[in-house]
Each structure stands twice: as C-alpha cells, then as structure tokens.
Amino acid sequence: MQRLGGLGLAILTLVMVAGVAAQQKAASLRVDGLVDKPGTFDAKSFAGLKRLTLKVDDHGQPAVYEGVALTDVLALAGAPVGDRMRGAQLSLVVVAKAADDYVATYALAELDSGFTDRVVILADRHDGKPLAENAAPFQIIVPGEKKHGRWIRQVVSLTVKETR
Ligand SMILES: Nc1nc2c(c(=O)[nH]1)N[C@H]1C(S)=C(S)[C@@H](COP(=O)(O)O)O[C@H]1N2
Ligand SMILES: [Mo]
C-alpha cells in the first residue's frame, strides 16, 4: 500500500513536471518569414526590451495591458523596422497565428513608430496579473480599434510576408 502510494506520488510528480515543461514550451513565440534572424523567443528573450503599459477600453471597461512593443519583438528577429521601414518594405505584412489557428494580420508600416504614434504591444499581463489562460502566454493589443478582432490571444507565431 505504502509502495503504491510512493509510486502514485512519483507519477504525480512526473505529470506535474511534464505540465510545467509543456507550459514553458507554450510560452514561446516563433518569429519567421522575411526576417534576418528567424527564431523562437520567450519571456527571457524579451527581458531586455522596454516594458510598456497601455490603458485601453475593453468592452466599455478600462483595462490595463502590459508588455513590449510588437516592433521591438520583430526587431529582435531582424525584421525591417525603424530606419529600414520604407519603399519596398511597405508591401510587407505580419501574420500572427494563435494556438487555436485564429489568424490576424497587420501591415508592418502600421506597427512602425516612424508612421504612427499608436503602439501595438505583445502583452503578457492584464490588470496587473498574468494573462488569463485563454490569452496566455501572449496577446497582441491594438489600441484605438472599435472591434477587438485583432487582439489575438495565445499568439504562437509572427510571420513577415510579402504581399506583392
Ligand atoms: N486566439 C484567438 N484570439 C482571438 C479570437 C479568437 O477566436 N482566437 N477572437 C478575436 C475576436 S473576433 C475578438 S472580438 C476578441 C474577443 O475577445 P474577448 O472574447 O476577450 O472579448 O478576441 C480576438 N482574439
Ligand atoms: Mo470579434
């Protein structure tokens, strides 16, 4: 009986370790496509990026989202942002895909601080807490839009693509 209990505890521990590993695996974001340094990034990769706080309207309620600028994440992967955002780069789009295969797209130019003051963020916190399970590990927040269809939850990848 006691041996069985020990075995049970061992299995439970294994399951928990596997669960944590799966969560850590899920907490990463693939950035690829037309970028110089495609890769898989996680919270640690973003540690050096400037943290931003956005106060937005969420279904008529004030909400606070915290994270990093989406362009900073794209820059980590060598996407053509900042000074490189001109001419031919204006035909590029960012395709964000979620764990449930939901997809939203953004023109690279509409994310760029040279074109707009609107800052789109990759959020990891909401109202001072980690994102809810159906949004974690990352949700894109686009301030100033009447519909929130592009507030894509559980983002797993960002792919820079050509539209020409
Ligand atoms: N991953 C994922 N993100 C998503 C969606 C979805 O189906 N899957 N729906 C979008 C749509 S259409 C809207 S209006 C908002 C709704 O978010 P809410 O349910 O948190 O209000 O999430 C957006 N983000
Ligand atoms: Mo929606």
Side-chain angles (χ1 to χ4, degrees):
M1 195 66 203
Q2 221 161 19
R3 267 191 69 193
L4 250 188
L7 184 65
L9 193 67
I11 289 171
L12 185 68
T13 306
L14 268 178
V15 166
M16 281 166 62
V17 168
V20 169
Q23 254 181 1
Q24 281 173 346
K25 190 160 174 259
S28 68
L29 177 74
R30 177 88 198 151
V31 185
D32 56 18
L34 299 173
V35 297
D36 296 337
K37 296 173 284 180
T40 302
F41 302 87
D42 58 13
K44 252 193 231 160
S45 331
F46 303 147
L49 303 183
K50 186 177 170 195
R51 297 287 301 176
L52 300 171
T53 300
L54 282 187
K55 288 184 179 141
V56 293
D57 179 281
D58 193 359
H59 304 106
Q61 304 284 339
V64 179
Y65 284 91
E66 212 185 298
V68 295
L70 195 56
T71 43
D72 285 349
V73 171
L74 291 164
L76 273 186
V81 296
D83 291 348
R84 292 167 66 201
M85 174 39 66
R86 61 194 150 83
Q89 287 8 300
L90 297 182
S91 63
L92 298 178
V93 296
V94 179
V95 178
K97 196 171 164 184
D100 60 353
D101 280 341
Y102 186 81
V103 168
T105 67
Y106 318 85
L108 197 52
E110 71 172 319
L111 304 175
D112 200 275
S113 62
F115 282 78
T116 177
D117 287 331
R118 174 172 83 166
V119 182
V120 174
I121 71 167
L122 183 73
D124 55 10
R125 295 180 71 79
H126 175 204
D127 289 339
K129 294 183 292 240
L131 289 177
E133 208 180 324
N134 72 345
F138 303 113
Q139 180 175 16
I140 292 176
I141 304 297
V142 190
E145 284 188 351
K146 290 201 275 185
K147 290 190 173 181
H148 292 175
R150 301 202 296 172
W151 288 26
I152 177 169
R153 300 183 294 262
Q154 297 186 299
V155 189
V156 293
S157 65
L158 302 173
T159 306
V160 177
K161 292 192 184 187
E162 181 59 87
T163 56
R164 276 184 294 197

